[in-house]
Amino acid sequence: GIQVEQSPPDLILQEGANSTLRCNFSDSVNNLQWFHQNPWGQLINLFYIPSGTKQNGRLSATTVATERYSLLYISSSQTTDSGVYFCAGHQGNMLTFGGGTRLMVKP
Amino acid sequence: SQTIHQWPATLVQPVGSPLSLECTVEGTSNPNLYWYRQAAGRGLQLLFYSVGIGQISSEVPQNLSASRPQDRQFILSSKKLLLSDSGFYLCAWSAGGPEQYFGPGTRLTVT
């Protein structure tokens, strides 16, 4: 199986700041997803990004599959961005999650 | 559009009692269905997945079982709960492709 590692494990930001979250995966993955888990536990799909760059509002993601990493960029952070961010790599029917980055955005 | 439901939302059960958690998907046919568990707020672990009615694959041997009695229904069960079964249980679906979508989850506390 594959292994997925995320960094940093915890991050505290002041509202309005930018941040970059990193996801490294050990073997070739077919596809990669980024999720945001809100304080109520709901996992919200952010990006399905096997390679390349995608943007959605203040969030963007880049996956470099050949170098086995993906980055999630959050710009102009807001308090509602708080929660845990997970990346997860696909291999067949298996989706393997990283340990997550817990983000707290302070007003 | 597709929606996924889970119930109950929260559950408190004594050790040794049975368990039944239900997941249903609307707006799609023949989805792949998945059960995950999350302990201590981090790290989701895949428990079971199903590619069709009656077809269940187990990823982690444990005290739990899964069944798929209907195309869009996935059930997680246990005959006798253990303390270690406590956690947040999430159901997910995919439309045959790799991208998965998650339900709201069930928070289980075994006392």
Side-chain angles (χ1 to χ4, degrees), chain A residues 9-10 31 33 37 41-43 45 48 86 90 93-95 97 99-100 102, chain B residues 32 34 36 38 41-44 46 49 59 88 98-104:
Chain A
D10 297 278
N31 298 287
Q33 288 186 249
Q37 189 168 37
Q42 177 79 50
L43 269 176
N45 288 45
Y48 168 68
F86 289 102
H90 291 265
N93 282 315
M94 291 284 294
L95 187 60
F97 281 78
R102 188 176 300 276
Chain B
N32 290 345
Y34 309 84
Y36 290 84
Q38 184 179 33
R42 299 248 184 168
L44 281 78
L46 178 64
Y49 69 91
E59 293 300 320
F88 190 49
E99 191 171 6
Q100 294 185 21
Y101 301 88
F102 285 78

PDB file of all heavy atoms in Angstrom, chain A residues 9-10 31 33 37 41-43 45 48 86 90 93-95 97 99-100 102, chain B residues 32 34 36 38 41-44 46 49 59 88 98-104:
ATOM      1  N   PRO A   9       1.616  19.375  10.999  1.00  0.00           N
ATOM      2  CA  PRO A   9       0.470  18.753  11.679  1.00  0.00           C
ATOM      3  C   PRO A   9      -0.491  19.782  12.259  1.00  0.00           C
ATOM      4  O   PRO A   9      -1.697  19.518  12.328  1.00  0.00           O
ATOM      5  CB  PRO A   9       1.109  17.905  12.782  1.00  0.00           C
ATOM      6  CG  PRO A   9       2.473  18.463  12.955  1.00  0.00           C
ATOM      7  CD  PRO A   9       2.887  19.051  11.645  1.00  0.00           C
ATOM      8  N   ASP A  10       0.034  20.918  12.672  1.00  0.00           N
ATOM      9  CA  ASP A  10      -0.800  21.979  13.251  1.00  0.00           C
ATOM     10  C   ASP A  10      -0.342  23.321  12.710  1.00  0.00           C
ATOM     11  O   ASP A  10       0.866  23.527  12.489  1.00  0.00           O
ATOM     12  CB  ASP A  10      -0.716  21.975  14.779  1.00  0.00           C
ATOM     13  CG  ASP A  10      -1.251  20.688  15.378  1.00  0.00           C
ATOM     14  OD1 ASP A  10      -2.478  20.583  15.521  1.00  0.00           O
ATOM     15  OD2 ASP A  10      -0.438  19.792  15.666  1.00  0.00           O
ATOM     16  N   ASN A  31      -4.641   8.812  -8.175  1.00  0.00           N
ATOM     17  CA  ASN A  31      -5.359  10.077  -8.040  1.00  0.00           C
ATOM     18  C   ASN A  31      -5.207  10.597  -6.620  1.00  0.00           C
ATOM     19  O   ASN A  31      -4.894   9.839  -5.708  1.00  0.00           O
ATOM     20  CB  ASN A  31      -6.849   9.871  -8.337  1.00  0.00           C
ATOM     21  CG  ASN A  31      -7.084   9.390  -9.750  1.00  0.00           C
ATOM     22  OD1 ASN A  31      -6.959  10.142 -10.708  1.00  0.00           O
ATOM     23  ND2 ASN A  31      -7.388   8.126  -9.896  1.00  0.00           N
ATOM     24  N   GLN A  33      -6.941  13.408  -3.633  1.00  0.00           N
ATOM     25  CA  GLN A  33      -8.013  14.309  -3.226  1.00  0.00           C
ATOM     26  C   GLN A  33      -7.586  15.112  -2.006  1.00  0.00           C
ATOM     27  O   GLN A  33      -6.846  14.597  -1.151  1.00  0.00           O
ATOM     28  CB  GLN A  33      -9.292  13.536  -2.865  1.00  0.00           C
ATOM     29  CG  GLN A  33     -10.009  12.932  -4.052  1.00  0.00           C
ATOM     30  CD  GLN A  33     -11.338  12.306  -3.662  1.00  0.00           C
ATOM     31  OE1 GLN A  33     -11.491  11.079  -3.696  1.00  0.00           O
ATOM     32  NE2 GLN A  33     -12.316  13.122  -3.309  1.00  0.00           N
ATOM     33  N   GLN A  37     -12.231  18.990   6.790  1.00  0.00           N
ATOM     34  CA  GLN A  37     -13.172  18.471   7.777  1.00  0.00           C
ATOM     35  C   GLN A  37     -13.554  19.612   8.704  1.00  0.00           C
ATOM     36  O   GLN A  37     -12.693  20.158   9.415  1.00  0.00           O
ATOM     37  CB  GLN A  37     -12.584  17.317   8.575  1.00  0.00           C
ATOM     38  CG  GLN A  37     -13.615  16.623   9.466  1.00  0.00           C
ATOM     39  CD  GLN A  37     -13.116  15.317  10.039  1.00  0.00           C
ATOM     40  OE1 GLN A  37     -11.964  15.173  10.393  1.00  0.00           O
ATOM     41  NE2 GLN A  37     -14.006  14.333  10.129  1.00  0.00           N
ATOM     42  N   GLY A  41     -17.413  17.622  11.771  1.00  0.00           N
ATOM     43  CA  GLY A  41     -16.952  16.334  11.287  1.00  0.00           C
ATOM     44  C   GLY A  41     -17.194  16.069   9.813  1.00  0.00           C
ATOM     45  O   GLY A  41     -16.701  15.079   9.277  1.00  0.00           O
ATOM     46  N   GLN A  42     -17.944  16.929   9.165  1.00  0.00           N
ATOM     47  CA  GLN A  42     -18.246  16.718   7.754  1.00  0.00           C
ATOM     48  C   GLN A  42     -16.988  16.863   6.905  1.00  0.00           C
ATOM     49  O   GLN A  42     -16.246  17.832   7.054  1.00  0.00           O
ATOM     50  CB  GLN A  42     -19.297  17.732   7.278  1.00  0.00           C
ATOM     51  CG  GLN A  42     -19.612  17.642   5.802  1.00  0.00           C
ATOM     52  CD  GLN A  42     -20.553  16.494   5.466  1.00  0.00           C
ATOM     53  OE1 GLN A  42     -21.586  16.339   6.091  1.00  0.00           O
ATOM     54  NE2 GLN A  42     -20.189  15.698   4.489  1.00  0.00           N
ATOM     55  N   LEU A  43     -16.746  15.878   6.046  1.00  0.00           N
ATOM     56  CA  LEU A  43     -15.625  15.932   5.104  1.00  0.00           C
ATOM     57  C   LEU A  43     -16.111  16.565   3.808  1.00  0.00           C
ATOM     58  O   LEU A  43     -16.984  16.019   3.138  1.00  0.00           O
ATOM     59  CB  LEU A  43     -15.101  14.533   4.812  1.00  0.00           C
ATOM     60  CG  LEU A  43     -13.982  13.992   5.675  1.00  0.00           C
ATOM     61  CD1 LEU A  43     -13.676  12.568   5.288  1.00  0.00           C
ATOM     62  CD2 LEU A  43     -12.733  14.836   5.559  1.00  0.00           C
ATOM     63  N   ASN A  45     -15.302  17.891   0.047  1.00  0.00           N
ATOM     64  CA  ASN A  45     -14.353  17.746  -1.054  1.00  0.00           C
ATOM     65  C   ASN A  45     -13.848  19.116  -1.498  1.00  0.00           C
ATOM     66  O   ASN A  45     -14.644  20.011  -1.786  1.00  0.00           O
ATOM     67  CB  ASN A  45     -15.028  17.061  -2.242  1.00  0.00           C
ATOM     68  CG  ASN A  45     -15.276  15.594  -1.999  1.00  0.00           C
ATOM     69  OD1 ASN A  45     -15.740  15.215  -0.930  1.00  0.00           O
ATOM     70  ND2 ASN A  45     -14.986  14.772  -2.988  1.00  0.00           N
ATOM     71  N   TYR A  48     -10.123  17.294  -6.478  1.00  0.00           N
ATOM     72  CA  TYR A  48      -9.720  16.005  -7.024  1.00  0.00           C
ATOM     73  C   TYR A  48      -8.635  16.346  -8.027  1.00  0.00           C
ATOM     74  O   TYR A  48      -8.908  16.954  -9.064  1.00  0.00           O
ATOM     75  CB  TYR A  48     -10.914  15.313  -7.671  1.00  0.00           C
ATOM     76  CG  TYR A  48     -10.561  14.120  -8.500  1.00  0.00           C
ATOM     77  CD1 TYR A  48     -10.071  12.967  -7.907  1.00  0.00           C
ATOM     78  CD2 TYR A  48     -10.709  14.141  -9.880  1.00  0.00           C
ATOM     79  CE1 TYR A  48      -9.743  11.867  -8.672  1.00  0.00           C
ATOM     80  CE2 TYR A  48     -10.390  13.045 -10.645  1.00  0.00           C
ATOM     81  CZ  TYR A  48      -9.902  11.914 -10.043  1.00  0.00           C
ATOM     82  OH  TYR A  48      -9.568  10.826 -10.809  1.00  0.00           O
ATOM     83  N   PHE A  86      -7.238  17.242   5.019  1.00  0.00           N
ATOM     84  CA  PHE A  86      -6.691  15.931   4.695  1.00  0.00           C
ATOM     85  C   PHE A  86      -6.386  15.840   3.210  1.00  0.00           C
ATOM     86  O   PHE A  86      -7.152  16.308   2.377  1.00  0.00           O
ATOM     87  CB  PHE A  86      -7.695  14.818   5.031  1.00  0.00           C
ATOM     88  CG  PHE A  86      -7.915  14.577   6.489  1.00  0.00           C
ATOM     89  CD1 PHE A  86      -9.047  15.064   7.124  1.00  0.00           C
ATOM     90  CD2 PHE A  86      -6.998  13.857   7.235  1.00  0.00           C
ATOM     91  CE1 PHE A  86      -9.261  14.833   8.474  1.00  0.00           C
ATOM     92  CE2 PHE A  86      -7.197  13.618   8.582  1.00  0.00           C
ATOM     93  CZ  PHE A  86      -8.329  14.118   9.205  1.00  0.00           C
ATOM     94  N   HIS A  90      -5.284   7.697  -3.945  1.00  0.00           N
ATOM     95  CA  HIS A  90      -5.982   6.514  -4.442  1.00  0.00           C
ATOM     96  C   HIS A  90      -4.994   5.497  -4.997  1.00  0.00           C
ATOM     97  O   HIS A  90      -4.044   5.847  -5.681  1.00  0.00           O
ATOM     98  CB  HIS A  90      -6.911   6.898  -5.597  1.00  0.00           C
ATOM     99  CG  HIS A  90      -8.074   7.714  -5.200  1.00  0.00           C
ATOM    100  ND1 HIS A  90      -9.308   7.173  -4.923  1.00  0.00           N
ATOM    101  CD2 HIS A  90      -8.203   9.045  -5.029  1.00  0.00           C
ATOM    102  CE1 HIS A  90     -10.146   8.147  -4.619  1.00  0.00           C
ATOM    103  NE2 HIS A  90      -9.509   9.286  -4.676  1.00  0.00           N
ATOM    104  N   ASN A  93      -9.231   0.660  -5.441  1.00  0.00           N
ATOM    105  CA  ASN A  93     -10.380   1.089  -4.657  1.00  0.00           C
ATOM    106  C   ASN A  93      -9.983   1.663  -3.297  1.00  0.00           C
ATOM    107  O   ASN A  93     -10.837   2.095  -2.545  1.00  0.00           O
ATOM    108  CB  ASN A  93     -11.328  -0.093  -4.420  1.00  0.00           C
ATOM    109  CG  ASN A  93     -12.182  -0.396  -5.635  1.00  0.00           C
ATOM    110  OD1 ASN A  93     -12.726   0.501  -6.242  1.00  0.00           O
ATOM    111  ND2 ASN A  93     -12.280  -1.662  -5.994  1.00  0.00           N
ATOM    112  N   MET A  94      -8.709   1.646  -2.992  1.00  0.00           N
ATOM    113  CA  MET A  94      -8.242   2.111  -1.701  1.00  0.00           C
ATOM    114  C   MET A  94      -7.975   3.609  -1.727  1.00  0.00           C
ATOM    115  O   MET A  94      -7.343   4.133  -2.637  1.00  0.00           O
ATOM    116  CB  MET A  94      -6.936   1.393  -1.340  1.00  0.00           C
ATOM    117  CG  MET A  94      -7.106  -0.068  -1.053  1.00  0.00           C
ATOM    118  SD  MET A  94      -7.812  -0.335   0.573  1.00  0.00           S
ATOM    119  CE  MET A  94      -6.489   0.284   1.619  1.00  0.00           C
ATOM    120  N   LEU A  95      -8.478   4.277  -0.707  1.00  0.00           N
ATOM    121  CA  LEU A  95      -8.178   5.692  -0.498  1.00  0.00           C
ATOM    122  C   LEU A  95      -7.449   5.771   0.825  1.00  0.00           C
ATOM    123  O   LEU A  95      -8.022   5.475   1.879  1.00  0.00           O
ATOM    124  CB  LEU A  95      -9.479   6.509  -0.471  1.00  0.00           C
ATOM    125  CG  LEU A  95      -9.361   8.028  -0.422  1.00  0.00           C
ATOM    126  CD1 LEU A  95      -8.609   8.553  -1.620  1.00  0.00           C
ATOM    127  CD2 LEU A  95     -10.739   8.660  -0.332  1.00  0.00           C
ATOM    128  N   PHE A  97      -5.566   7.960   3.645  1.00  0.00           N
ATOM    129  CA  PHE A  97      -5.535   9.329   4.165  1.00  0.00           C
ATOM    130  C   PHE A  97      -4.223   9.625   4.871  1.00  0.00           C
ATOM    131  O   PHE A  97      -3.646   8.761   5.542  1.00  0.00           O
ATOM    132  CB  PHE A  97      -6.680   9.551   5.150  1.00  0.00           C
ATOM    133  CG  PHE A  97      -8.002   9.786   4.497  1.00  0.00           C
ATOM    134  CD1 PHE A  97      -8.723   8.728   3.976  1.00  0.00           C
ATOM    135  CD2 PHE A  97      -8.528  11.065   4.404  1.00  0.00           C
ATOM    136  CE1 PHE A  97      -9.950   8.937   3.365  1.00  0.00           C
ATOM    137  CE2 PHE A  97      -9.750  11.287   3.800  1.00  0.00           C
ATOM    138  CZ  PHE A  97     -10.455  10.223   3.274  1.00  0.00           C
ATOM    139  N   GLY A  99      -2.355  12.070   7.858  1.00  0.00           N
ATOM    140  CA  GLY A  99      -2.735  12.349   9.232  1.00  0.00           C
ATOM    141  C   GLY A  99      -3.442  13.678   9.429  1.00  0.00           C
ATOM    142  O   GLY A  99      -3.974  13.944  10.508  1.00  0.00           O
ATOM    143  N   GLY A 100      -3.429  14.523   8.397  1.00  0.00           N
ATOM    144  CA  GLY A 100      -4.158  15.789   8.465  1.00  0.00           C
ATOM    145  C   GLY A 100      -3.313  16.943   8.969  1.00  0.00           C
ATOM    146  O   GLY A 100      -2.293  16.759   9.650  1.00  0.00           O
ATOM    147  N   ARG A 102      -4.156  20.343  11.151  1.00  0.00           N
ATOM    148  CA  ARG A 102      -5.192  21.051  11.912  1.00  0.00           C
ATOM    149  C   ARG A 102      -4.915  22.534  11.847  1.00  0.00           C
ATOM    150  O   ARG A 102      -3.877  23.004  12.327  1.00  0.00           O
ATOM    151  CB  ARG A 102      -5.212  20.573  13.367  1.00  0.00           C
ATOM    152  CG  ARG A 102      -6.377  21.120  14.179  1.00  0.00           C
ATOM    153  CD  ARG A 102      -6.385  20.539  15.579  1.00  0.00           C
ATOM    154  NE  ARG A 102      -6.502  19.098  15.564  1.00  0.00           N
ATOM    155  CZ  ARG A 102      -7.637  18.422  15.477  1.00  0.00           C
ATOM    156  NH1 ARG A 102      -8.791  19.084  15.408  1.00  0.00           N
ATOM    157  NH2 ARG A 102      -7.644  17.106  15.478  1.00  0.00           N
TER     158      ARG A 102
ATOM    159  N   ASN B  32     -20.117   2.645  -5.911  1.00  0.00           N
ATOM    160  CA  ASN B  32     -19.219   1.983  -4.975  1.00  0.00           C
ATOM    161  C   ASN B  32     -19.455   2.631  -3.617  1.00  0.00           C
ATOM    162  O   ASN B  32     -19.595   3.858  -3.523  1.00  0.00           O
ATOM    163  CB  ASN B  32     -17.759   2.155  -5.387  1.00  0.00           C
ATOM    164  CG  ASN B  32     -17.415   1.377  -6.638  1.00  0.00           C
ATOM    165  OD1 ASN B  32     -18.160   0.497  -7.072  1.00  0.00           O
ATOM    166  ND2 ASN B  32     -16.291   1.702  -7.235  1.00  0.00           N
ATOM    167  N   TYR B  34     -18.409   2.772   0.692  1.00  0.00           N
ATOM    168  CA  TYR B  34     -17.262   2.598   1.585  1.00  0.00           C
ATOM    169  C   TYR B  34     -17.661   2.935   3.024  1.00  0.00           C
ATOM    170  O   TYR B  34     -18.448   3.851   3.257  1.00  0.00           O
ATOM    171  CB  TYR B  34     -16.109   3.537   1.186  1.00  0.00           C
ATOM    172  CG  TYR B  34     -15.726   3.477  -0.278  1.00  0.00           C
ATOM    173  CD1 TYR B  34     -16.423   4.225  -1.220  1.00  0.00           C
ATOM    174  CD2 TYR B  34     -14.661   2.692  -0.710  1.00  0.00           C
ATOM    175  CE1 TYR B  34     -16.072   4.181  -2.567  1.00  0.00           C
ATOM    176  CE2 TYR B  34     -14.302   2.645  -2.044  1.00  0.00           C
ATOM    177  CZ  TYR B  34     -15.015   3.390  -2.969  1.00  0.00           C
ATOM    178  OH  TYR B  34     -14.668   3.345  -4.297  1.00  0.00           O
ATOM    179  N   TYR B  36     -15.605   4.042   6.551  1.00  0.00           N
ATOM    180  CA  TYR B  36     -14.355   4.451   7.165  1.00  0.00           C
ATOM    181  C   TYR B  36     -14.590   4.690   8.652  1.00  0.00           C
ATOM    182  O   TYR B  36     -15.693   5.026   9.077  1.00  0.00           O
ATOM    183  CB  TYR B  36     -13.846   5.769   6.569  1.00  0.00           C
ATOM    184  CG  TYR B  36     -13.361   5.686   5.142  1.00  0.00           C
ATOM    185  CD1 TYR B  36     -14.260   5.767   4.076  1.00  0.00           C
ATOM    186  CD2 TYR B  36     -12.009   5.550   4.850  1.00  0.00           C
ATOM    187  CE1 TYR B  36     -13.825   5.706   2.763  1.00  0.00           C
ATOM    188  CE2 TYR B  36     -11.554   5.499   3.546  1.00  0.00           C
ATOM    189  CZ  TYR B  36     -12.471   5.575   2.510  1.00  0.00           C
ATOM    190  OH  TYR B  36     -12.025   5.522   1.211  1.00  0.00           O
ATOM    191  N   GLN B  38     -12.825   6.962  11.916  1.00  0.00           N
ATOM    192  CA  GLN B  38     -11.868   7.973  12.321  1.00  0.00           C
ATOM    193  C   GLN B  38     -11.814   7.980  13.840  1.00  0.00           C
ATOM    194  O   GLN B  38     -12.823   8.184  14.513  1.00  0.00           O
ATOM    195  CB  GLN B  38     -12.276   9.348  11.810  1.00  0.00           C
ATOM    196  CG  GLN B  38     -11.273  10.441  12.125  1.00  0.00           C
ATOM    197  CD  GLN B  38     -11.708  11.785  11.582  1.00  0.00           C
ATOM    198  OE1 GLN B  38     -12.893  12.089  11.511  1.00  0.00           O
ATOM    199  NE2 GLN B  38     -10.753  12.600  11.171  1.00  0.00           N
ATOM    200  N   GLY B  41     -10.036  12.147  16.011  1.00  0.00           N
ATOM    201  CA  GLY B  41     -10.036  13.331  15.172  1.00  0.00           C
ATOM    202  C   GLY B  41      -9.025  13.361  14.053  1.00  0.00           C
ATOM    203  O   GLY B  41      -8.878  14.373  13.393  1.00  0.00           O
ATOM    204  N   ARG B  42      -8.325  12.264  13.828  1.00  0.00           N
ATOM    205  CA  ARG B  42      -7.330  12.230  12.746  1.00  0.00           C
ATOM    206  C   ARG B  42      -7.397  10.903  12.027  1.00  0.00           C
ATOM    207  O   ARG B  42      -7.957   9.955  12.519  1.00  0.00           O
ATOM    208  CB  ARG B  42      -5.934  12.405  13.328  1.00  0.00           C
ATOM    209  CG  ARG B  42      -5.701  13.697  14.041  1.00  0.00           C
ATOM    210  CD  ARG B  42      -4.736  14.555  13.276  1.00  0.00           C
ATOM    211  NE  ARG B  42      -4.429  15.781  13.989  1.00  0.00           N
ATOM    212  CZ  ARG B  42      -3.449  16.576  13.655  1.00  0.00           C
ATOM    213  NH1 ARG B  42      -2.663  16.259  12.653  1.00  0.00           N
ATOM    214  NH2 ARG B  42      -3.241  17.687  14.311  1.00  0.00           N
ATOM    215  N   GLY B  43      -6.814  10.824  10.867  1.00  0.00           N
ATOM    216  CA  GLY B  43      -6.541   9.560  10.213  1.00  0.00           C
ATOM    217  C   GLY B  43      -7.745   8.671   9.987  1.00  0.00           C
ATOM    218  O   GLY B  43      -8.107   7.869  10.845  1.00  0.00           O
ATOM    219  N   LEU B  44      -8.379   8.795   8.845  1.00  0.00           N
ATOM    220  CA  LEU B  44      -9.460   7.890   8.487  1.00  0.00           C
ATOM    221  C   LEU B  44      -8.901   6.564   8.004  1.00  0.00           C
ATOM    222  O   LEU B  44      -7.926   6.512   7.262  1.00  0.00           O
ATOM    223  CB  LEU B  44     -10.308   8.492   7.367  1.00  0.00           C
ATOM    224  CG  LEU B  44     -11.314   9.555   7.779  1.00  0.00           C
ATOM    225  CD1 LEU B  44     -10.637  10.888   8.000  1.00  0.00           C
ATOM    226  CD2 LEU B  44     -12.407   9.675   6.741  1.00  0.00           C
ATOM    227  N   LEU B  46      -9.984   2.923   6.149  1.00  0.00           N
ATOM    228  CA  LEU B  46     -10.990   2.194   5.385  1.00  0.00           C
ATOM    229  C   LEU B  46     -11.294   0.866   6.065  1.00  0.00           C
ATOM    230  O   LEU B  46     -10.381   0.093   6.371  1.00  0.00           O
ATOM    231  CB  LEU B  46     -10.503   1.955   3.954  1.00  0.00           C
ATOM    232  CG  LEU B  46     -11.430   1.154   3.034  1.00  0.00           C
ATOM    233  CD1 LEU B  46     -12.732   1.902   2.806  1.00  0.00           C
ATOM    234  CD2 LEU B  46     -10.747   0.835   1.722  1.00  0.00           C
ATOM    235  N   TYR B  49     -15.499  -1.965   1.711  1.00  0.00           N
ATOM    236  CA  TYR B  49     -16.030  -1.331   0.517  1.00  0.00           C
ATOM    237  C   TYR B  49     -16.828  -2.352  -0.272  1.00  0.00           C
ATOM    238  O   TYR B  49     -16.656  -3.572  -0.109  1.00  0.00           O
ATOM    239  CB  TYR B  49     -14.955  -0.675  -0.331  1.00  0.00           C
ATOM    240  CG  TYR B  49     -13.995  -1.607  -1.031  1.00  0.00           C
ATOM    241  CD1 TYR B  49     -14.256  -2.073  -2.315  1.00  0.00           C
ATOM    242  CD2 TYR B  49     -12.812  -1.987  -0.422  1.00  0.00           C
ATOM    243  CE1 TYR B  49     -13.372  -2.904  -2.968  1.00  0.00           C
ATOM    244  CE2 TYR B  49     -11.917  -2.818  -1.064  1.00  0.00           C
ATOM    245  CZ  TYR B  49     -12.198  -3.279  -2.336  1.00  0.00           C
ATOM    246  OH  TYR B  49     -11.310  -4.110  -2.978  1.00  0.00           O
ATOM    247  N   GLU B  59     -11.117  -4.549   4.660  1.00  0.00           N
ATOM    248  CA  GLU B  59      -9.721  -4.131   4.657  1.00  0.00           C
ATOM    249  C   GLU B  59      -9.039  -4.367   5.996  1.00  0.00           C
ATOM    250  O   GLU B  59      -7.829  -4.487   6.052  1.00  0.00           O
ATOM    251  CB  GLU B  59      -9.624  -2.643   4.279  1.00  0.00           C
ATOM    252  CG  GLU B  59     -10.026  -2.369   2.847  1.00  0.00           C
ATOM    253  CD  GLU B  59      -9.164  -3.119   1.854  1.00  0.00           C
ATOM    254  OE1 GLU B  59      -7.942  -3.218   2.067  1.00  0.00           O
ATOM    255  OE2 GLU B  59      -9.705  -3.624   0.857  1.00  0.00           O
ATOM    256  N   PHE B  88     -15.690   7.838  15.028  1.00  0.00           N
ATOM    257  CA  PHE B  88     -16.533   8.539  14.082  1.00  0.00           C
ATOM    258  C   PHE B  88     -16.558   7.716  12.802  1.00  0.00           C
ATOM    259  O   PHE B  88     -15.509   7.466  12.206  1.00  0.00           O
ATOM    260  CB  PHE B  88     -15.952   9.938  13.855  1.00  0.00           C
ATOM    261  CG  PHE B  88     -16.830  10.870  13.088  1.00  0.00           C
ATOM    262  CD1 PHE B  88     -18.161  11.046  13.426  1.00  0.00           C
ATOM    263  CD2 PHE B  88     -16.326  11.618  12.034  1.00  0.00           C
ATOM    264  CE1 PHE B  88     -18.973  11.929  12.738  1.00  0.00           C
ATOM    265  CE2 PHE B  88     -17.136  12.507  11.336  1.00  0.00           C
ATOM    266  CZ  PHE B  88     -18.463  12.668  11.685  1.00  0.00           C
ATOM    267  N   PRO B  98     -12.608   7.177  -9.275  1.00  0.00           N
ATOM    268  CA  PRO B  98     -11.887   7.237  -8.005  1.00  0.00           C
ATOM    269  C   PRO B  98     -12.389   8.279  -7.007  1.00  0.00           C
ATOM    270  O   PRO B  98     -12.240   8.088  -5.797  1.00  0.00           O
ATOM    271  CB  PRO B  98     -10.455   7.573  -8.434  1.00  0.00           C
ATOM    272  CG  PRO B  98     -10.617   8.268  -9.741  1.00  0.00           C
ATOM    273  CD  PRO B  98     -11.792   7.639 -10.405  1.00  0.00           C
ATOM    274  N   GLU B  99     -12.994   9.370  -7.463  1.00  0.00           N
ATOM    275  CA  GLU B  99     -13.347  10.444  -6.540  1.00  0.00           C
ATOM    276  C   GLU B  99     -14.462   9.986  -5.594  1.00  0.00           C
ATOM    277  O   GLU B  99     -15.514   9.517  -6.034  1.00  0.00           O
ATOM    278  CB  GLU B  99     -13.772  11.695  -7.295  1.00  0.00           C
ATOM    279  CG  GLU B  99     -13.903  12.910  -6.398  1.00  0.00           C
ATOM    280  CD  GLU B  99     -14.104  14.199  -7.166  1.00  0.00           C
ATOM    281  OE1 GLU B  99     -14.250  14.130  -8.410  1.00  0.00           O
ATOM    282  OE2 GLU B  99     -14.109  15.272  -6.543  1.00  0.00           O
ATOM    283  N   GLN B 100     -14.210  10.163  -4.292  1.00  0.00           N
ATOM    284  CA  GLN B 100     -15.174   9.726  -3.277  1.00  0.00           C
ATOM    285  C   GLN B 100     -15.803  10.931  -2.582  1.00  0.00           C
ATOM    286  O   GLN B 100     -15.153  11.950  -2.383  1.00  0.00           O
ATOM    287  CB  GLN B 100     -14.474   8.825  -2.246  1.00  0.00           C
ATOM    288  CG  GLN B 100     -13.989   7.520  -2.838  1.00  0.00           C
ATOM    289  CD  GLN B 100     -13.400   6.582  -1.810  1.00  0.00           C
ATOM    290  OE1 GLN B 100     -13.664   6.700  -0.607  1.00  0.00           O
ATOM    291  NE2 GLN B 100     -12.597   5.641  -2.272  1.00  0.00           N
ATOM    292  N   TYR B 101     -17.074  10.730  -2.176  1.00  0.00           N
ATOM    293  CA  TYR B 101     -17.850  11.768  -1.502  1.00  0.00           C
ATOM    294  C   TYR B 101     -18.368  11.186  -0.193  1.00  0.00           C
ATOM    295  O   TYR B 101     -18.871  10.063  -0.170  1.00  0.00           O
ATOM    296  CB  TYR B 101     -19.013  12.225  -2.374  1.00  0.00           C
ATOM    297  CG  TYR B 101     -18.578  12.774  -3.706  1.00  0.00           C
ATOM    298  CD1 TYR B 101     -18.406  11.926  -4.802  1.00  0.00           C
ATOM    299  CD2 TYR B 101     -18.323  14.131  -3.876  1.00  0.00           C
ATOM    300  CE1 TYR B 101     -17.989  12.420  -6.030  1.00  0.00           C
ATOM    301  CE2 TYR B 101     -17.910  14.630  -5.106  1.00  0.00           C
ATOM    302  CZ  TYR B 101     -17.745  13.771  -6.168  1.00  0.00           C
ATOM    303  OH  TYR B 101     -17.334  14.260  -7.379  1.00  0.00           O
ATOM    304  N   PHE B 102     -18.298  11.983   0.855  1.00  0.00           N
ATOM    305  CA  PHE B 102     -18.558  11.473   2.192  1.00  0.00           C
ATOM    306  C   PHE B 102     -19.881  11.967   2.761  1.00  0.00           C
ATOM    307  O   PHE B 102     -20.332  13.075   2.475  1.00  0.00           O
ATOM    308  CB  PHE B 102     -17.416  11.871   3.131  1.00  0.00           C
ATOM    309  CG  PHE B 102     -16.172  11.059   2.917  1.00  0.00           C
ATOM    310  CD1 PHE B 102     -15.322  11.326   1.865  1.00  0.00           C
ATOM    311  CD2 PHE B 102     -15.872   9.996   3.764  1.00  0.00           C
ATOM    312  CE1 PHE B 102     -14.189  10.556   1.645  1.00  0.00           C
ATOM    313  CE2 PHE B 102     -14.738   9.223   3.561  1.00  0.00           C
ATOM    314  CZ  PHE B 102     -13.895   9.501   2.497  1.00  0.00           C
ATOM    315  N   GLY B 103     -20.464  11.107   3.599  1.00  0.00           N
ATOM    316  CA  GLY B 103     -21.660  11.457   4.334  1.00  0.00           C
ATOM    317  C   GLY B 103     -21.321  12.245   5.590  1.00  0.00           C
ATOM    318  O   GLY B 103     -20.145  12.483   5.880  1.00  0.00           O
ATOM    319  N   PRO B 104     -22.352  12.611   6.366  1.00  0.00           N
ATOM    320  CA  PRO B 104     -22.136  13.448   7.548  1.00  0.00           C
ATOM    321  C   PRO B 104     -21.543  12.703   8.739  1.00  0.00           C
ATOM    322  O   PRO B 104     -21.069  13.335   9.679  1.00  0.00           O
ATOM    323  CB  PRO B 104     -23.539  13.961   7.873  1.00  0.00           C
ATOM    324  CG  PRO B 104     -24.440  12.928   7.301  1.00  0.00           C
ATOM    325  CD  PRO B 104     -23.765  12.405   6.077  1.00  0.00           C
TER     326      PRO B 104
END
